[in-house]
Amino acid sequence: MDTIFPRSIAPGDKVAILSPASIINPEYVDGACRWLRQRGYQPVVEPHTLGSGGFYSGTPAERLADFRAALADPDVRAVLCSRGGYGAVHLIPEFPVDEWLADPRWLIGFSDISALHAMLNSRGIVSVHASMCKALALRDADDADNSRLFSILEGARPAYGVDPHPFNRLGEASGRLRGGNLAVIADLIATPVSPFADPEGTILFIEDIAEPIYKVERILWQLRLMGFLDRVAGIVIGQFTDYRPDRNYPDMYTMLDSALAGVTCPVTFNFPVGHVDHNLPLLSGAPATLSVTPSSATLRFI
């Protein structure tokens, strides 16, 4: 499969803001628009971005219409998802992926947006797993992770180094970085957009929020029984937040270490990606190299 990088964005380009899933606080959208203007871009708030239909920002047809509106404007070079929540999976069956392939744009988001990353990545299109409107609105213009995000959109290929963790497995591996929110991508197993379809060519990254330890363990056992964990090139374990210890494990990482017993690929724990303030932007679907040594773990995009 070819790797398709959308072209770098430049000052003056438009960045569309839309809501593929849950409703968004309008103040966060306003704040993101201010940040984009400061950076030199033209924000475009799509018609249903601030909509509301129960839990969702609109019907699936309305949410898809916003994507089509963004794609119809050749000056829109990136699409910033306002937030996650739940609902992005509704859009996959009718998503205009062929139009996206014809003129690739950057898709930005995380959490529930992992479903859309998986869909684009399954067609070779690279996207950006990164924080959304709230992070742009509530942080200073010189926030390091926001700056990293726009450096990527403007053409940078980052290399991230993190401190070692006692549960790390040493080694080096190369592959396409795929993954995201574990609960979301686990529900894509056996679908045409599954990020687990090519284990030998995949560096898997995972994070989650408010999932009990036993549910995360159940997903890991599913991956083990599929044979995925025996063949995956490497694993990046991000942040697991808002859960409670249980009678079997004092914390999530202890469980993950146990569930990965016998896994021989390089694994790094405690990577700064997930539902946390320090959420490094990642090039989802891009070729990368993971190197885990006794002194550090490095994720480098090629």
Side-chain angles (χ1 to χ4, degrees):
M1 184 192 305
D2 292 335
T3 302
I4 303 168
F5 284 90
R7 75 164 173 82
S8 302
I9 68 173
D13 285 340
K14 294 179 181 177
V15 177
I17 301 177
L18 46 73
S19 301
S22 299
I23 57 176
I24 181 68
N25 182 339
E27 294 181 359
Y28 295 155
V29 174
D30 291 343
C33 288
R34 287 194 298 272
W35 207 101
L36 289 165
R37 292 189 190 100
Q38 290 175 13
R39 190 83 184 192
Y41 299 103
Q42 301 181 56
V44 177
V45 179
E46 298 296 349
H48 304 97
T49 300
L50 303 177
S52 176
F55 187 79
Y56 309 111
S57 65
T59 66
E62 289 171 337
R63 288 176 272 151
L64 281 167
D66 283 356
F67 273 103
R68 292 193 174 99
L71 288 169
D73 185 346
D75 293 329
V76 170
R77 303 316 310 169
V79 175
L80 172 64
C81 297
S82 70
R83 63 160 295 180
Y86 173 70
V89 70
H90 300 158
L91 311 187
I92 290 178
E94 302 296 330
F95 194 89
V97 68
D98 288 334
E99 289 92 328
W100 202 291
L101 273 168
D103 185 10
R105 325 294 171 91
W106 289 107
L107 178 74
I108 307 156
F110 81 113
S111 193
D112 191 59
I113 309 306
S114 298
L116 301 182
H117 289 309
M119 176 194 59
L120 294 178
N121 298 168
S122 73
R123 301 292 293 271
I125 305 169
V126 176
S127 52
V128 186
H129 181 279
S131 296
M132 300 172 280
C133 284
K134 183 177 180 180
L136 290 175
L138 298 183
R139 299 179 191 168
D140 295 335
D142 59 354
D143 175 81
D145 288 337
N146 287 344
S147 295
R148 290 183 182 102
L149 165 61
F150 281 92
S151 292
I152 287 173
L153 299 176
E154 292 160 2
R157 299 291 178 264
Y160 298 131
V162 299
D163 292 336
H165 190 278
F167 292 158
N168 282 1
R169 272 77 156 167
L170 306 185
E172 183 168 298
S174 295
R176 294 177 190 264
L177 188 74
R178 296 184 176 97
N181 181 269
L182 184 59
V184 172
I185 61 175
D187 286 341
L188 300 176
I189 289 173
T191 72
V193 302
S194 171
F196 303 103
D198 177 26
E200 290 89 349
T202 295
I203 297 173
L204 178 70
F205 74 100
I206 56 174
E207 61 83 25
D208 220 321
I209 182 171
E211 290 292 336
I213 290 175
Y214 80 91
K215 288 190 177 181
V216 175
E217 183 184 34
R218 185 166 61 196
I219 295 170
L220 267 292
W221 272 98
Q222 183 179 14
L223 296 180
R224 181 178 290 279
L225 293 171
M226 288 167 51
F228 180 86
L229 295 182
D230 294 329
R231 295 181 291 151
V232 66
I235 303 174
V236 175
I237 297 177
Q239 303 299 305
F240 285 75
T241 56
D242 292 0
Y243 70 89
R244 296 180 179 179
D246 65 19
R247 295 176 64 180
N248 296 312
Y249 298 102
D251 58 68
M252 190 72 76
Y253 282 178
T254 301
M255 181 281 294
L256 287 165
D257 180 55
S258 175
L260 294 175
V263 170
T264 58
C265 70
V267 182
T268 182
F269 282 73
N270 200 35
F271 198 84
V273 61
H275 291 73
V276 289
D277 288 341
H278 182 27
N279 181 26
L280 286 175
L282 302 177
L283 282 160
S284 185
T289 297
L290 174 65
S291 178
V292 185
T293 71
S295 60
S296 68
T298 302
L299 182 65
R300 184 183 307 276
F301 292 95
I302 302 169

